[in-house]
Amino acid sequence: MTSSTDPSSPPGARPSLWRHRDFRRYLTGQAARVTGSSVSSMVIPVLAVLELDATTAEVAWLTFLGQLPPALLALHAGALADRHSKRKQMITGDLVSAAALASVPVAAALDRLSLTQLMAVAAVQGAAGVLHDAAAISLLPGLVDRSLLQRSNSRIGTLFAVAATAGSNLGAALTALLGPARALLGDVLSYLVSAWCTARIQAPESPRPATEGRRLHTEIGEGLRYVHGDHRLRTLTLVNATTSFALALLNTLWALYLLRSLALGPTAFGVVLGLGALGAAAGALGAPSLAARYGPGPMMLTALAITPLTQFPLLLASPGLLWQCAIGVALFLQLVCAGAAGTTQRTIRQVVTADGIQARMQAVSTWLTSGARPVAALLAGGLGTWIGVRPTLVAGTCLLVVPLVVLHRSPLRSLLDMPGSPAVASPSGQAVSPPTPSGPIVPNTAVAEDAQHNHSAEGGP
């Protein structure tokens, strides 16, 4: 574990994350990556539809191929990150993504760009992103002291929300100036910046070498058993997966409903999305204070209870400026809840997990949440065709109650303080055993008492 601050920090002073060089490098690289990814998210659909005349089915395949790798590879990527250097895995993912995206403007300049290539790039970029993200999320607990994880995740969530908004606007500007294909060079640059910042992180790593003869699938199984064996991780993962499924069902038809049924123009639609991004930033920034004042459990339970209510303006709306404002405010509130709850639950999972299994723990959650999204998208399409868009949105709103029930039935609903860290990290080269049913791995009896009331809910996927 590295020091939480630079050696120059005055003794007895409150640790400052901004004086922590490795955290600054980590945060800069990841923010650049998020900004660039938002450029691609905005540019690639434009490129497919306007430049390559993609049909509705082809656009759906493009989206599907981009979402498929996390569902297929997340568990393997997590096991690799626990076995090898997380920084090297992050840099590899960045460089592969940069090379794949760079092929698009090159092909466009040669007049050889096709939808087949764009789909292949989406699949390769998705796979490389899984490798990077599995290592990046699990690297953070090795950069800062665990007592600073809540503040670290708060800063990260806030900056990422701002970066995503900036990336979308940058993508629109680059498309207007350079054209959609060359606009992707902005994302290529962001991956190179991310790789450079990651390479400059100096914190030592202690990757757990694989025991001779042990297969990757064995280590994946250990990760699944570890999450299942700890009631906190098990509950949080289930809350994340059910929330992701419900929101994916809603998001599949959300834009269509606003633009077509409620007749929102592009400007109004952009303003609504901008309010949502501000809400996510505000929620992430306020998460530590809210958790300290009300307790992580009650705060997240309240966030999950509010989330279904924020769908009501959308379901009741009709065309008109007043309803547009109501939907914007509701989305802002929804993403405040998502940012606050998501930041807190992520911190809890990082704090209670042993160092040697951090990536595999994160990968289990990624695998379930990512796997839920394509299924929910297909269900939304079927229900929207069969019963209509508005009834399908009502069904999705009802599904948002499921994670609330899961959290409410858990002892974590009344957690008033952050739990303690595991007593020991998993030994290098040895199998990681899940906590026994009698209780989680904690350093002392007092912490074990608190852990009985620990649960976090993620407000968004």
Side-chain angles (χ1 to χ4, degrees):
M1 179 69 65
T2 63
S3 172
S4 60
T5 59
D6 284 350
S8 59
S9 298
R14 189 187 184 201
S16 171
L17 288 170
W18 304 122
R19 295 173 65 89
H20 190 315
R21 286 188 295 267
D22 283 339
F23 178 74
R24 290 200 309 267
R25 291 163 181 164
Y26 174 89
L27 189 61
T28 301
Q30 297 311 296
R33 197 174 192 278
V34 170
T35 303
S37 296
S38 296
V39 171
S40 288
S41 297
M42 181 269 167
V43 170
I44 287 180
V46 172
L47 186 62
V49 174
L50 299 183
E51 298 291 326
L52 300 176
D53 296 321
T55 65
T56 302
E58 288 169 335
V59 171
W61 272 107
L62 182 63
T63 303
F64 175 77
L65 289 172
Q67 292 180 345
L68 189 60
L72 297 180
L73 302 177
L75 294 177
H76 297 80
L80 288 172
D82 277 335
R83 180 186 286 189
H84 304 294
S85 167
K86 294 178 174 61
R87 280 180 291 168
K88 289 181 180 178
Q89 185 165 317
M90 291 166 64
I91 292 170
T92 300
D94 284 334
L95 295 180
V96 170
S97 293
L101 273 178
S103 71
V104 175
V106 171
L110 298 174
D111 200 24
R112 300 294 298 272
L113 183 62
S114 66
L115 273 170
T116 301
Q117 178 183 346
L118 212 58
M119 291 179 183
V121 167
V124 171
Q125 190 180 9
V130 173
L131 286 174
H132 177 281
D133 293 344
I137 298 174
S138 57
L139 178 65
L140 181 62
L143 296 182
V144 300
D145 188 84
R146 295 200 180 203
S147 64
L148 298 176
L149 278 175
Q150 174 79 333
R151 286 168 54 198
S152 300
N153 280 314
S154 172
R155 305 298 193 275
I156 291 169
T158 303
L159 186 58
F160 281 14
V162 174
T165 304
S168 297
N169 294 330
L170 178 61
L174 290 176
T175 299
L177 291 173
L178 306 175
R182 282 178 289 184
L184 290 176
L185 291 173
D187 197 6
V188 173
L189 178 62
S190 77
Y191 285 120
L192 296 179
V193 170
S194 175
W196 180 72
C197 290
T198 303
R200 296 188 66 215
I201 294 175
Q202 298 175 354
E205 286 190 80
S206 300
R208 181 183 52 79
T211 304
E212 186 177 353
R214 297 185 73 227
R215 297 184 176 183
L216 200 64
H217 285 83
T218 302
E219 299 183 6
I220 290 173
E222 289 171 0
L224 291 167
R225 289 191 296 274
Y226 189 91
V227 171
H228 184 267
D230 189 315
H231 76 94
R232 302 165 296 185
L233 297 176
R234 183 175 65 246
T235 304
L236 291 175
T237 301
L238 182 58
V239 167
N240 291 349
T242 52
T243 302
S244 179
F245 184 88
L247 290 180
L249 189 149
L250 289 165
N251 292 341
T252 299
L253 301 176
W254 187 74
L256 176 67
Y257 184 70
L258 288 179
L259 295 171
R260 182 171 297 172
S261 300
L262 299 184
L264 257 71
T267 301
F269 186 64
V271 170
V272 169
L273 293 180
L275 285 172
L278 290 176
L285 188 62
S289 299
L290 292 171
R293 180 169 183 177
Y294 301 106
M299 183 269 282
M300 291 182 293
L301 190 67
T302 301
L304 282 180
I306 292 173
T307 299
L309 301 179
T310 61
Q311 295 296 316
F312 278 79
L314 179 69
L315 300 176
L316 300 174
S318 57
L321 179 61
L322 183 61
W323 280 112
Q324 292 174 10
C325 294
I327 292 171
V329 171
L331 182 62
F332 175 87
L333 182 58
Q334 181 188 53
L335 292 186
V336 166
C337 294
T343 296
T344 303
Q345 67 83 19
R346 190 178 305 111
T347 301
I348 292 174
R349 290 191 290 122
Q350 290 171 338
V351 166
V352 303
T353 301
D355 286 337
I357 201 166
Q358 281 279 345
R360 282 173 285 172
M361 177 276 294
Q362 298 285 356
V364 172
S365 179
T366 300
W367 173 58
L368 289 174
T369 55
S370 299
R373 289 170 187 150
V375 175
L378 291 175
L379 179 61
L383 288 176
T385 303
W386 181 38
I387 64 176
V389 173
R390 190 189 292 259
T392 302
L393 293 176
V394 173
T397 301
C398 293
L399 286 176
L400 283 173
V401 178
V402 175
L404 173 63
V405 173
V406 172
L407 177 58
H408 187 267
R409 292 174 60 86
S410 166
L412 299 176
R413 67 183 181 275
S414 54
L415 176 70
L416 298 180
D417 297 293
M418 280 290 175
S421 303
V424 293
S426 62
S428 176
Q430 297 181 12
V432 181
S433 300
T436 60
S438 59
I441 300 175
V442 288
N444 54 55
T445 307
V447 177
E449 188 79 15
D450 289 340
Q452 295 298 320
H453 305 290
N454 173 16
H455 183 151
S456 163
E458 185 173 51

